[in-house]
Amino acid sequence: MEEPLVQKHLESLQSSCENGLETGAPQRLTNLLLVEGLSDIQQKEHDILQVETTKGLPRAAKSIPLEKLFLPLSKVSIPPRISVTVGVAGIGKSTLVKLFVCSWAKGEISRDILFVLPLTFRELNTYEKLSAERLLCSACPRTAEPGSLSAGAARTLLILDGLDEFKTPLDFSNAAVCTDPKKEIQVDNLITNIIRGNLLQEASVWVTSRPVAAGQIPSGLVDRMTEIRGLGAAEMKDFLDQMFPDNGDLSGQVLQHIRANRSLHVLCTIPGFCRISGSSIAYFLKHGGDRSREATVVPRTLSEIYSYYFKMALSGDWLEKPREALRIEQAVNTSKKLVGSLGRLAFYGLLRRKHVFYEQDMKAHGIDLSLLHSCLSTRLLLKEDMPASTAYYFSHLTIQEFLAALYYYTAAKRAIFDLFAESGMSWPKLGFLSHFRSAVQRALQAEHGQLDIFIRFLSGLLSPRVNRLLSGWLLLKGEHGAFREQAVGALRGCLGAEHAVTWRAVNAMRCLHELQHADTAQAVEEAMRSGSLAGMLTPVNCSALAYLLQVSDVCLEETNLSNCLTYNVCKSLLSQLLFCHSLRLDNNQFKDDVMELLGSVLSGKDCQIQRLSLAENQISNKGAKALARSLLVNRSLMVLDLRSNSIGPTGAKALADALKKNQILLSLNLQHNSIKEDGAAFLAEALLTNHGLLTLHLQKNAVGAQGARKIAEALKQNRSLRELMLSSNSVGDSGSIALAEALRVNHSLQSLDLQSNSISSAGVTALTAALCSNQGLLSLNLRENSISREGGPAIARALRSNSTLRKLDLAANLLHDDGGQAIALAIRENRALSSLHLQWNFIQVKTATALAQALQSNSSLASLDLQENAIGDEGMAALSAALKVNTTLADLHLQVASVGAAGAQALAEALMVNKSLQILDLRGNSLGPAGAKAVAKALKVNRSLRWLNLQENSLGMDGAICIATALQGNHGLTYVNLQGNLIGHSGARLIADAIRTNAPDCVVDV
């Protein structure tokens, strides 16, 4: 091709693509998601339902920059020939194409591509027959030799934008083969032959489409599929700021309302929908002064949003372009007349899946094109001039659906025959309700949920709020109010009609929401909040539950369906559970058959479950095997909790085998599952090859010393595991010594729990010797073992040399003062430890005094637990002296420590000057009224303490009143416990009232 022609082609592309392209390419368009084909919901459901169900979150997928879209993924692969980019309506597919073409024409990206030939399916709709050569000529009119574009001498990219707008479905099964580039054939046949590689074999082809339409292309023919993600939180804010560049306050208010409505916020991840919602809410806020009494609620449902949008469009009150009053009035009247004919076009277009219309379509529906061009409703209908004709299309798919619903709503009042039969030939249908029921049935039967949003809008038009809003505009005042209850009945008839909760049933719940009928959903939501769902999950309530899984704030962080599901209910909800990110199904008496069901869910392409808890069920090795099979293919699950089941060694083996291949799971909890020594050995083997697992819970599994040794051997090679819980496993000294050897070489493990494992001084000596060289462990739990006073010096040696350990739990051992003092001396030198538990160690005043001396110089310890050690008033006095100078200790636990009034007096003096202590637990001591009085005096001065427990301290009424009165001057405390202090019921009420008056932000237990 000659250079001047190439240059003209580049200039032509640049000017055509820059027109309407927003400045500054959005990040979401310059980085696409690289996906492995379409998910089930993308192939079967309406775009809006896809976004609602997935909560607007992108699939777990790698991203690919726009500049690498047509490059090989690796050095050994080849560039993709057929690329498909999918995205829901309004996500920005055509904008993406413009962005790419413009960047390529400027020489910024894909310089290896010599020719880019963009075409839209809107243009292709105007041809009946085309040859491959004529197709290229239409994309690049300036070339006289189309053969040069497809001969392979230069890389050519043919872009086909908007497959969902093509008038003819692609039939890859029956399309006749054509290899002659000059032969004119049906356009759909031409496209299938190009995609199959029978024509233009050397050219790369890029198709963009809505997901359902993209499903027409066999997956085996697609070399690369990408997806456009929606707006993130920051992007949504920027988008609204660009919509209202001169009014930052309005932009902020609109965003606040969108965020307050979870369903709306999810849908606003679609830029096209966000523009409609933002405009509607801004219109509502702007006209706050002239609102009627019934229109004071911010639009929340889809129907309300679109009612405001149409009202704004028809009134000419566009925020961007104010108009003269006279022109507005004329245009408004014209627009209202046009809505009827546009609605008919929209409705029958929707039935035929037709979203692009041409002049012959407009004339066929009686639409005056001259009126249309001057009318303000061009905000609803867009026009595109093409070489052969002019195309018209609604500004968003939902605009067409709302207009279709308006038409049907109005026409149903007078129609005698079924409106769905365009020819008018059908059994007579009389009355609005008859037509409404017909629409509901059609929507239930429609393929790909194509009528779901239409029926939602039709239901919404029956809601009192929408009816009042549009009365005098598009509806007559108060019409059809009497039909609302019957419409509710028709919609409720869609619930629970089948064994499984279908998407249609969930959409029926959304229709009821549009109708402002929320009784069923509210009852189920309240039961979810109170944990009383058990026994009330009828088929209708299951549909409501499925709906709530998508919209309720109760399910925002976690979907808790514990203690309420049966096999049948779980089976009916399967398709909805797929999309719960965090799912808790504890204590449901689930057996292995339910695991087969859940395994199928976890194996699904659509699965978005990231956290799954199945604790306290009745799962055996068969159920574990079903879950293990799903882990071989699952790409979403990161946390699996199976504690307190009975999977045994065989179940552990199945999960271990899955872990050899699965690198996604981060946490596995098998606590109390009787996996025994063999199960531990299987898991140890998995740890040799697994590089993803971070946390492994194996408490109460009788793994024994031998099992611990197997795990220890694996730890010598594994570098990914961060937390290992082995409490109550009879590990003993032998197992501890093996683990200690592993800690000498493993510096990646951060937390090791060896509670209740019969470890004596020999085991602790080995572990602490390893700590002298280990540089990774942050937390070590040796609670409830048999560490005697001889273990103290070994622990002390480790604390002197180790610089990484942050938490050490030695509670419930046998250290006595000898062991305790050794540890306290080491604390003077240690600069890393932040938490030390010495509860119930037969420690007395000597250790307390030694610890007090350490605290005077130590600057790292933040939490000290000395509960159930008889340190007495003398020990308390020593610690109090330290608190006067220590600035880091935040938690001090002294429950049942034999502290009396004298100790309380010393502590009170310390609290008057200490500024770091926030939690103080003095339960079960003997402070008495005198001690309470001293503490109360300190509370008037102290500002750091947040949590104080004085339970069971014989304070009496006088002591409790002292504390309550002191809170008047204290603004720091948020919790006080005065239970068990011989106050009596009347005294408790008096104290509680006093604290509520003096410190309303403080919670008190009396």
Side-chain angles (χ1 to χ4, degrees), residues 176 255 279 285 439 446 510 534 560 568 685 723 898 924 937 945 956 992 996:
L255 182 61
S279 302
L285 294 171
R510 288 188 178 272
N560 189 348
N568 288 331
E685 191 181 327
E723 295 181 61
S898 304
K937 187 177 178 183
L945 209 60
R996 269 194 290 272

Side-chain angles (χ1 to χ4, degrees), residues 644-773:
S644 301
N645 281 287
S646 308
I647 70 166
T650 314
K653 182 182 188 305
L655 291 167
D657 289 342
L659 285 176
K660 292 174 185 176
K661 295 181 181 178
N662 180 300
Q663 302 293 328
I664 306 294
L665 198 70
L666 303 179
S667 175
L668 177 61
N669 191 337
L670 297 178
Q671 176 182 341
H672 199 207
N673 262 287
S674 305
I675 70 166
K676 302 182 180 173
E677 180 185 310
D678 288 346
F682 296 133
L683 289 164
E685 191 181 327
L687 289 176
L688 295 173
T689 53
N690 181 287
H691 306 297
L693 199 68
L694 301 178
T695 304
L696 181 59
H697 292 258
L698 297 176
Q699 304 98 307
K700 299 181 180 177
N701 268 300
V703 304
Q706 190 60 30
R709 278 197 287 272
K710 295 281 188 184
I711 291 171
E713 285 302 311
L715 287 178
K716 290 178 181 178
Q717 296 182 48
N718 180 288
R719 292 294 177 268
S720 57
L721 199 67
R722 296 290 177 267
E723 295 181 61
L724 177 60
M725 313 298 169
L726 286 171
S727 64
S728 305
N729 265 302
S730 305
V731 167
D733 288 335
S734 173
S736 301
I737 291 167
L739 288 165
E741 289 172 11
L743 288 177
R744 291 179 185 273
V745 293
N746 181 307
H747 299 285
S748 55
L749 193 70
Q750 295 177 356
S751 178
L752 179 59
D753 181 354
L754 293 172
Q755 178 177 340
S756 302
N757 267 300
S758 306
I759 300 169
S760 69
S761 296
V764 87
T765 300
L767 286 166
T768 50
L771 284 179
C772 292
S773 57

